[in-house]
Amino acid sequence: MANEWITELRVLIDDGRLLTSPADCYSYSFDGSFGSYLPEAVVQAQSTEEVSNVLKLANQRNIPVYPRGQGTSMSGGPLPVKGGIVLDVSQWNERLDIYPEDMVAVVSPGVITSDIHEKANEHELMYPPDPSSSHVSTIAGNLAENSGGPRGLKYGVTKDYVIGLEVVTPEGNIIRTGGRTIKNVTGYDLTKLIIGSEGMLGVITEATLKLIPKPASVRTLMVTFDTLVEAGGAISELLTSNIFPSKMELMDQASLQAVEQYSAAGLPTDVEALILIELDGHPLALEEEIQQTVTLCRQLGARDISVPEKPEEAKKLWEARKQVSPAIVQWKPTKVAEDITVPRSKIPDMCERLIDIRKRYQLHLVVFGHAGDGNLHPNIICDKRDHEEMQRVEQAVEEIFQSAVQLGGTLSGEHGIGTMKSPFMEMELGQTGIDMMKRIKQAWDPKDILNPGKMFPEPGQKLVLRDD
Amino acid sequence: MANEWITELRVLIDDGRLLTSPADCYSYSFDGSFGSYLPEAVVQAQSTEEVSNVLKLANQRNIPVYPRGQGTSMSGGPLPVKGGIVLDVSQWNERLDIYPEDMVAVVSPGVITSDIHEKANEHELMYPPDPSSSHVSTIAGNLAENSGGPRGLKYGVTKDYVIGLEVVTPEGNIIRTGGRTIKNVTGYDLTKLIIGSEGMLGVITEATLKLIPKPASVRTLMVTFDTLVEAGGAISELLTSNIFPSKMELMDQASLQAVEQYSAAGLPTDVEALILIELDGHPLALEEEIQQTVTLCRQLGARDISVPEKPEEAKKLWEARKQVSPAIVQWKPTKVAEDITVPRSKIPDMCERLIDIRKRYQLHLVVFGHAGDGNLHPNIICDKRDHEEMQRVEQAVEEIFQSAVQLGGTLSGEHGIGTMKSPFMEMELGQTGIDMMKRIKQAWDPKDILNPGKMFPEPGQKLVLRDD
């Protein structure tokens, strides 16, 4: 049976871009999250027509299709959990065009996000979304998950910069949503429905991104605090002082120690928390804001404040921040990366709860994240072969989600739901909320072909992080 | 029959807030667009439970329900085209709370938009969306239509500032979407699907709005040009000069003359075009940007440039701009207000085409709008009793839409589709694009109870602006 549809696929896709050997398929069986599932075929798509043809065949033959970029997902988005075809768009990067006169970029799905940053920069423009993976992740993956990054605070997230899409629907039809204008209210906003829908409602084959003028000047401040809760309180205070930083990142002591062991970036390791702040704007305005920030941080009990004069020094600090995620896995092999988000004013409360959870479950719980927009990354470093430990991890994760929702926050700020957070959807959305989402999925993809097994919980589904 | 469901409504709604007399119903039979349709009942809802109860009854009895704010819609959004119940939320304004520590506002649907501006301002915060009707329109209407206004250029539109909703679904269930955090990727983005869906996918009963710090300083420039096309070209040039105005408005000679006749604001009437520019930010940065803008405008052939020193003088200019829409109806009784939007670089082309259309059809075509974001308001001033003239208007409107779409633009930047633009939906979206939208409507509102007869064209439907 399987052979039959693979034979049909061979007619549609060039030989070198249809992979079916177990070794090739294995490379597509995992992502940056948890678990491994072997697909039966991988298509490295390079045109809208190919995507359309694959989806039409998949609908005829009832074969699941999983869109995939570089596979850096933290929530299981591209995992082929029910077998079938992985639709890899990472080799499709022919188009990255900047149109300065319209302040937009038009990009193919496989373009690497940091290449957009660079190309926009050449035109004195900026594409603000900047997930930590931006040097390796594709724009298609960023679009599917609605990626965030540190600039969410001032500039918003991926969704805020997408004004038009070409999309292949789950049944293989080609549509265009939005366009090249900032304002567009012609019909329902399918652009923003598809962004962040985790590849379940369509395959994005081209995107038109909004760009903004590059800020004239950028400066960085590094501020340390004796306790995590103090740092959380300072973040809240700073944000109501009418200073509007472009980034405001929090790293706890464990993150600092991990980065220093991993790459010796010169960060202090004897403090419980560090805040990295970036301000941007006119140079004269910046000078004033830096002074205000320094004064305020002193009043809020900061231990040390440093303001690097040279851009290279500042760059080094931001690179160190991006190292936290790879650095923390040196201790134990398994990383359970969460990304709950709370209203800004609840950051100190959430920090307290995380410290309590860490203590009670005796876990390596590292806390860092985009604290300026309330998006924290509690990462639990563990060993999935240790069943007893993993049970504690499962309980801690559930408590982390409960705390976030109780504080008026959300399960996921930027990583998505995927397979990892689906058991907790009802906690936040209620049964009716989930039902309204399912109705859209059902109406667009009646055969459940596109990325099945994601986001919506099966009845009674629980988080299982043990390889049994 | 009718009596029966009205009797049932009486049980659900207080006497004073259920209107059924022809005189009362007549006040709800029109909006700011075209045409008049009498509802059978009006409910002035004041609680989520009431809205839910009305919708449940409407589903049982198959009665259409039309949500309505202050009825300022330019596209027919609230018109009760198939009879039934108008659900007026304009009397429901109990809640307008600012939470500075989270930089959000929580509002009831009937709150007037300019009241949000004022209240945010008290906390040194800003709610950027500012449609010309903001002093009279409700936030619920703004949310339903995804209103824009002059700040779209730099700050985006209503949708960009809504992070959470309470919504009653077409079947009367209550859901909450999003929340109080900037980042939220828990499931599909129902918030942004509902905003701009013109009251067809749910009744918004509460909204959480994102606020931003109020700019430290604001300045205005008024620049005149000898021709409209020159002004259009200058707008494009200014926008690629790395200056990022908060507003950039265009008024043609007819608009200037209309305003002067209507309220004598001191605008020049001997030029073909005027651009009103607002810059905001740090005072020192502003001083520099004003100089740059003045120099650039001179190079681009501006006739006169003035930079009011006093805030009151600037305020007067902006008030004059808001007068265009009411002012132009002094000439003839009927106003057909369009709001096509083109990519910024196509503004000069669109201006040329509008001038050509005005000549060929011999119509009072006035051009003004938010030119900085490509959103133009070609308004045709006519008399709906003059059938021959109205036929020319219909043809001109169709050509305006065709031109916008040919230039890569859209039918509607901020007014919505409603009844007025539905015949042209396929021109922009294609049959498949419309079909994907209809599937959502069908899945959420299988009995087509909520705001039927809007957005989607009936087979063969054409624009008819004649009262036959």
Side-chain angles (χ1 to χ4, degrees), chain A residues 100-103 124 145-146 148-149 152-153 157 159 169 171 173 175 180-190 192-193 197 200-201 213 239-240 242 244 282 284-285 288 341-345 370 373 375 410-417 425 428-429 432-433 436-437 439-441 443-444 455-456, chain B residues 100-103 124 145-146 148-149 152-153 157 159 169 171 173 175 180-190 192-193 197 200-201 213 239-240 242 244 282 284-285 288 341-345 370 373 375 410-417 425 428-429 432-433 436-437 439-441 443-444 455-456:
Chain A
E101 69 284 12
D102 288 332
M103 289 171 78
E124 298 293 313
E145 301 291 336
N146 188 22
L153 164 58
V157 295
K159 177 165 300 186
T169 70
E171 293 170 310
N173 296 310
I175 59 171
R180 208 183 257 217
T181 61
I182 293 174
K183 288 180 175 169
N184 182 327
V185 294
T186 299
Y188 304 151
D189 191 342
L190 301 187
K192 289 186 167 43
L193 176 64
S197 69
M200 295 168 70
L201 295 180
L239 288 172
T240 47
N242 227 29
F244 204 21
H282 191 279
L284 296 168
E288 224 179 85
T341 304
V342 294
R344 303 168 210 252
S345 62
H370 319 300
D373 53 34
N375 180 202
T410 178
L411 302 175
S412 179
E414 54 182 23
H415 291 174
I417 300 300
M425 285 282 277
E428 182 171 336
L429 298 172
T432 316
M436 297 312 276
M437 292 182 187
R439 291 192 196 192
I440 297 173
K441 171 67 172 169
W444 278 33
M455 193 184 286
F456 302 124
Chain B
E101 68 285 12
D102 289 331
M103 289 169 78
E124 298 294 314
E145 302 290 336
N146 188 22
L153 166 58
V157 295
K159 177 163 302 186
T169 71
E171 294 171 311
N173 296 309
I175 59 171
R180 208 182 255 218
T181 62
I182 293 174
K183 287 179 176 170
N184 182 326
V185 293
T186 298
Y188 305 152
D189 191 341
L190 301 186
K192 290 186 168 41
L193 176 65
S197 69
M200 295 168 70
L201 296 179
L239 289 171
T240 48
N242 228 29
F244 204 21
H282 192 279
L284 295 170
E288 224 179 84
T341 305
V342 293
R344 304 169 209 251
S345 62
H370 319 300
D373 55 34
N375 181 201
T410 179
L411 301 175
S412 179
E414 55 184 22
H415 291 175
I417 300 300
M425 285 282 277
E428 183 173 335
L429 298 170
T432 315
M436 297 312 277
M437 292 181 186
R439 290 192 196 191
I440 297 173
K441 172 67 173 168
W444 277 33
M455 192 184 287
F456 302 124

Side-chain angles (χ1 to χ4, degrees), chain A residues 203-214:
Chain A
V203 179
I204 296 166
T205 50
E206 190 178 271
T208 303
L209 309 173
K210 179 174 95 167
L211 306 175
I212 60 171
K214 186 181 148 186

Side-chain angles (χ1 to χ4, degrees), chain B residues 117-282:
Chain B
H117 294 146
E118 265 179 46
K119 199 89 180 267
N121 195 45
E122 287 170 17
H123 296 270
E124 298 294 314
L125 293 168
M126 175 161 87
Y127 171 67
D130 183 24
S132 290
S133 62
S134 63
H135 58 292
V136 55
S137 60
T138 63
I139 188 68
N142 291 191
L143 297 169
E145 302 290 336
N146 188 22
S147 298
R151 290 206 190 93
L153 166 58
K154 182 169 183 176
Y155 291 108
V157 295
T158 297
K159 177 163 302 186
D160 299 311
Y161 295 88
V162 190
I163 55 175
L165 294 174
E166 183 188 73
V167 175
V168 181
T169 71
E171 294 171 311
N173 296 309
I174 300 163
I175 59 171
R176 285 201 160 263
T177 72
R180 208 182 255 218
T181 62
I182 293 174
K183 287 179 176 170
N184 182 326
V185 293
T186 298
Y188 305 152
D189 191 341
L190 301 186
T191 307
K192 290 186 168 41
L193 176 65
I194 290 162
I195 303 301
S197 69
E198 306 191 1
M200 295 168 70
L201 296 179
V203 179
I204 296 166
T205 50
E206 189 177 90
T208 304
L209 309 173
K210 179 174 95 168
L211 306 174
I212 61 172
K214 186 181 149 186
S217 190
V218 178
R219 295 292 298 279
T220 293
L221 290 92
M222 182 173 83
V223 189
T224 59
F225 287 90
D226 282 330
T227 73
L228 190 59
V229 177
E230 248 183 322
I235 289 165
S236 284
E237 282 294 322
L238 278 165
L239 289 171
T240 48
S241 68
N242 228 29
I243 297 165
F244 204 21
S246 50
K247 300 181 183 174
M248 190 183 269
E249 298 283 306
L250 176 69
M251 293 162 77
D252 73 351
Q253 194 164 24
S255 322
L256 295 168
Q257 288 169 347
V259 171
E260 283 309 304
Q261 281 177 28
Y262 186 70
S263 65
L267 300 177
T269 53
D270 60 340
V271 291
E272 263 198 26
L274 178 149
I275 307 178
L276 216 50
I277 301 170
E278 186 185 274
L279 297 163
D280 67 7
H282 192 279

Side-chain angles (χ1 to χ4, degrees), chain B residues 392-431:
Chain B
R392 278 182 286 134
V393 175
E394 289 163 10
Q395 288 168 332
V397 167
E398 182 157 356
E399 270 200 46
I400 291 171
F401 290 147
Q402 273 164 353
S403 298
V405 172
Q406 278 164 10
L407 292 171
T410 179
L411 301 175
S412 179
E414 55 184 22
H415 291 175
I417 300 300
T419 55
M420 295 293 283
K421 277 166 255 178
S422 54
F424 306 101
M425 285 282 277
E426 198 176 334
M427 187 196 287
E428 183 173 335
L429 298 170
Q431 201 43 63

Side-chain angles (χ1 to χ4, degrees), chain A residues 60-122:
Chain A
Q60 277 165 20
R61 296 287 184 177
N62 268 302
I63 319 293
V65 174
Y66 311 87
R68 180 186 177 99
Q70 288 279 19
T72 55
S73 173
M74 301 285 213
S75 56
L79 292 179
V81 293
K82 301 194 174 188
I85 304 167
V86 168
L87 188 67
D88 173 16
V89 298
S90 69
Q91 306 305 306
W92 179 2
N93 57 7
E94 59 180 309
R95 190 163 184 198
L96 167 46
D97 296 326
I98 309 286
Y99 298 87
E101 69 284 12
D102 288 332
M103 289 171 78
V104 301
V106 179
V107 297
S108 296
V111 166
I112 299 296
T113 305
S114 63
D115 290 344
I116 305 172
H117 294 147
E118 265 178 45
K119 199 89 180 266
N121 195 46
E122 289 170 16

Side-chain angles (χ1 to χ4, degrees), chain B residues 287-354:
Chain B
E287 209 44 64
E288 224 179 84
E289 288 185 349
I290 286 172
Q291 287 319 315
Q292 284 173 27
T293 309
V294 168
T295 308
L296 200 60
C297 286
R298 289 227 172 88
Q299 287 166 3
L300 295 169
R303 191 200 275 197
D304 284 307
I305 306 170
S306 72
V307 188
E309 283 299 325
K310 292 185 188 155
E312 312 86 76
E313 289 166 14
K315 200 178 163 201
K316 216 176 138 189
L317 291 176
W318 288 105
E319 280 168 1
R321 162 62 189 87
K322 285 202 174 187
Q323 292 306 319
V324 180
S325 198
I328 51 182
V329 279
Q330 30 175 357
W331 293 324
K332 286 191 175 183
T334 309
K335 179 176 70 174
V336 177
E338 296 307 341
D339 79 316
I340 46 102
T341 305
V342 293
R344 304 169 209 251
S345 62
K346 302 296 183 197
I347 295 168
D349 301 82
M350 193 67 215
C351 287
E352 270 184 44
R353 291 196 186 208
L354 289 171

